[in-house]
Amino acid sequence: MKSRKNRGKIVLTALAVIALAAGYSFGVTPAEAADKFPAKPVTILNSSPAGSPADVMARQIAQNAKKHLSQPMVVVNKTGGSGGVMFASLMADPADGYTISTITSALITGLHGDLKKDFSIDQFEFLVHVQKEPFCIVVRSDSPFKTLNELIDHAKKNPRIKMGGQATYSALHLLALAVAEESGMPMSYVPYGGGSEIITNLLGGHIPVTVSSPTTMNQYVASGKVRALVVSGEKRLPQWKDVPTLKELGYNIVITQYRGFGAKKGLPADVRATLVEAIRKAMEEPGFKDYLAKNSQFAEFMGPAEFTAAVRADYEYMGKLLQKVVKK
Amino acid sequence: MVEHLIGGFVPLMQWNSILAIVGGSVVGYLVGALPGLSATMGIALCLPFTFYLTPLPSLLFLTSLYGAAEYGGSITAVTLNIPGETAATPTTFDGYPLTQQGFPAKALGMSIVASFYAGIVSTIALILTAVPLAGMALSFGPPEYFALGLFGLTAVAALAGKSWVKGAIGVLFGLLINTIGIDDISGTSRYIFVNALYEGLPLVPILIGLFAISEVLMTMEALTQNVAFNRISGSLPTLKEYLRCHRAMVRGTLIGYLVGIIPGAGKAVASFIAYNEEKRASRHPELFGTGILEGVAAPEAANNSVVSGALVPLLTLGIPGSAAAAVLIGAFTIQGLQPGPLLFVKQPELVYGLFAGLLAGNVVMLAMGLMGTQLWAMVLRVPKSILTPIVLAVTLFACYAESNSLFSLWLALGFGILGYVMRKFGFPIAPVVLAMVLGKMIETSFRKSLILSDGSAMIFLERPVTIILLAVALLSIAFQVYRSRKKRTGPTRVV
């Protein structure tokens, strides 16, 4: 008897749950549009794997934006295809602000390459610029080269110097090519698989010079294993006050990488404003500042207008550089 | 160092550390047992959750997961002839024949004991030799990787089965499809017709297709006959059998640890080499592939030993020794830590806590593994007509989870049919996997070497490590030729 009664209860509860769920999905969803954004979690697509610099940045923003957005932000990694997989996924969803993505300079520069067939910079809108970082040229600390000019002099007298860095046609490759061309030193570029491989080959003495990013090199410089010769930003880095910029040395080369957020073009104005405001506030949270300090990263907020201009300028610049150094 | 290590056990007594180790082992066990979900992907999928943990439990969770997944990979390799991890591919060669003979628990028991042995010994080696051996990770430049890759390819001799020609065709096919994708050196695209191929053919769907789906097709074909295993014995290996395999475990552990230290070489390379070396060192190599326990012990010891080996460059230099260790770097960064030369100085309690956790994690893994062997032996009593569709569904699900893309499912199905055809015509499948594991490394390191030497091939003959590896590879080939000639002139064996 008792068990039958219980079963009745279970059935009733189940029916109630179904009714509620149905009510939710039929009754609430159409009203959602009228509701204030966001009515459901916001997905942040990220083209690099979990734990990569852009991924960690996105997760930190998501974590610190909790207080400032009524719904959580969820990071989803869509890796592969040099960003193509993520782009395709972003373009498949409506431009309603519920799917946004991390944007990095490498991704946008990639639109000059094979991805051009399927995607264009005009399909995106750019929301917030979060971080900016230059690149650097480094040698092992027991290297005879103390400055970039010593390296160039040597390279001119003893051709050809080998420079290591990331994939062919990546920003690092373009930087190496630009420096080689402006200084007139003959150079061969060795494209390594990633930051770790660059370090292994540099520390192991398999390559005399590498181009890399300060994030990768910070701890090796701090522990005295690696010497930075030059950075490629507008200004010197606070943690490397004695390392000059390429500009200071007389080369007209400024290449930086940025990380921020973007979306499929056509967000409603109020949705855009809500997202930008939430990310801006997240960037001011102590938790986010703590993450920046621990990783020697620097944040610089830019809103949609300013960030779009910056992305476009960088895209054009890299395009010209590609044509100049690669296509001949 | 001893007091540091004892100190390392102190935080392990806290409930959250214990929970992290047990939880990580359980998840890893399942991730490993799921063909198509690799250890690397398991760590990547769990990484976001560690965001909310403190550093030590987070690292304990992920490293326990990593180790247990390497063992878990052997479960389906033994019971279903489907490697749960790439590195468990060689385990199928002798593990599955043992199952067919009715002794899955013997193979699984051997695998867990070898994994445990390798886990403990390699962790002790890690504690004692991490700092002095860090230099070894750095001694590998492009020419060394090229030589290592060639040496690895000679393992095909142990995998090729009856026909040399068919094994060689498998290798060449694997090398050929490896060229699909963006060429890392020149940046040009090769044979890319869809976006998903930019980064080349992903290994996991191909592994699933070649092994799991082709196995399913083979089973379906045989379903009209009585295909349930008749006598499944639950007996574990005897002490004598364990002792007989001791040398295999030692060799496997050593190979796994050394290959683990070399960044980017990978665990699959380690277990292939370990299987090959075991076969060569054996006094009865002809028995390999028929279901002998040494053939399970060596690769399983090797792929678990890689876990500790890969931590050597990770902890001392900040360079990951394997793909899974590369994801572990992400776990450190999320916690605001940087693995590398400063970690031992700044956070010794964390490093030694991790060492202690690795030892404890292996004990948990052993307990779980031994409990599980009976369970898995029981799974095999399920009629294949029921088991096979479940395997297919679960495998495809895991394959989708790995990539989030439908394309990889089509790829798995396509390679499933290819694998079926290959088996029908007597082509061994493992050489394709071996070539795919090694192909990229061989090609790019060869070309990088030539850039470094301005095109001179002398770079391969100037460096001691390269010379030794190339010489060993050459000897390995010569030995095989010698042995096969001897066999041909000797009395014909009835197989």
Side-chain angles (χ1 to χ4, degrees), chain B residues 2-259:
Chain B
V2 176
E3 65 270 31
H4 272 309
L5 189 61
I6 293 168
F9 276 103
V10 174
L12 285 194
M13 299 304 149
Q14 285 161 359
W15 65 270
N16 51 1
S17 301
I18 297 172
L19 207 63
I21 292 175
V22 175
S25 302
V26 172
V27 175
Y29 186 81
L30 296 175
V31 163
L34 262 181
L37 207 52
S38 61
T40 312
M41 188 43 71
I43 297 175
L45 287 175
C46 291
L47 197 58
F49 300 105
T50 65
F51 202 84
Y52 306 99
L53 301 174
T54 49
L56 187 61
S58 141
L59 294 174
L60 290 177
F61 178 81
L62 294 173
T63 46
S64 304
L65 191 161
Y66 185 10
E70 289 310 330
Y71 161 67
S74 71
I75 296 171
T76 46
V78 166
T79 52
L80 301 168
N81 200 19
I82 300 167
E85 298 285 321
T86 326
T89 308
T91 313
T92 59
F93 306 149
D94 282 290
Y96 189 62
L98 277 166
T99 297
Q100 285 174 316
Q101 292 155 27
F103 300 111
K106 273 200 193 292
L108 288 174
M110 196 63 241
S111 164
I112 184 66
V113 169
S115 298
F116 170 74
Y117 177 91
I120 295 289
V121 172
S122 65
T123 304
I124 294 170
L126 166 70
I127 297 167
L128 297 176
T129 63
V131 179
L133 280 188
M136 190 188 140
L138 296 179
S139 67
F140 268 66
E144 283 79 14
Y145 278 106
F146 172 68
L148 179 70
L150 274 194
F151 173 55
L153 265 195
T154 64
V156 70
L159 319 176
K162 293 187 191 91
S163 164
W164 265 87
V165 177
K166 285 179 175 170
I169 289 173
V171 166
L172 290 176
F173 175 70
L175 291 176
L176 184 72
I177 57 177
N178 228 329
T179 57
I180 294 173
I182 297 268
D183 165 25
D184 289 337
I185 306 294
S186 69
T188 46
S189 47
R190 302 191 290 205
Y191 312 113
I192 298 172
F193 298 103
V194 282
N195 271 344
L197 284 178
Y198 270 115
E199 277 158 21
L201 282 172
L203 185 58
V204 168
I206 290 176
L207 195 69
I208 287 186
L210 287 179
F211 279 91
I213 295 176
S214 76
E215 184 70 30
V216 166
L217 293 174
M218 297 293 277
T219 315
M220 273 162 62
E221 193 176 63
L223 269 186
T224 46
Q225 302 147 32
N226 179 19
V227 280
F229 294 103
N230 294 322
R231 301 161 294 106
I232 293 294
S233 153
S235 60
L236 292 168
T238 59
L239 187 65
K240 211 175 138 199
E241 283 169 326
Y242 283 127
L243 291 178
R244 201 184 76 207
C245 291
H246 185 253
R247 293 159 80 91
M249 287 193 249
V250 173
R251 278 191 284 260
T253 306
L254 187 70
I255 290 171
Y257 186 65
L258 293 179
V259 174

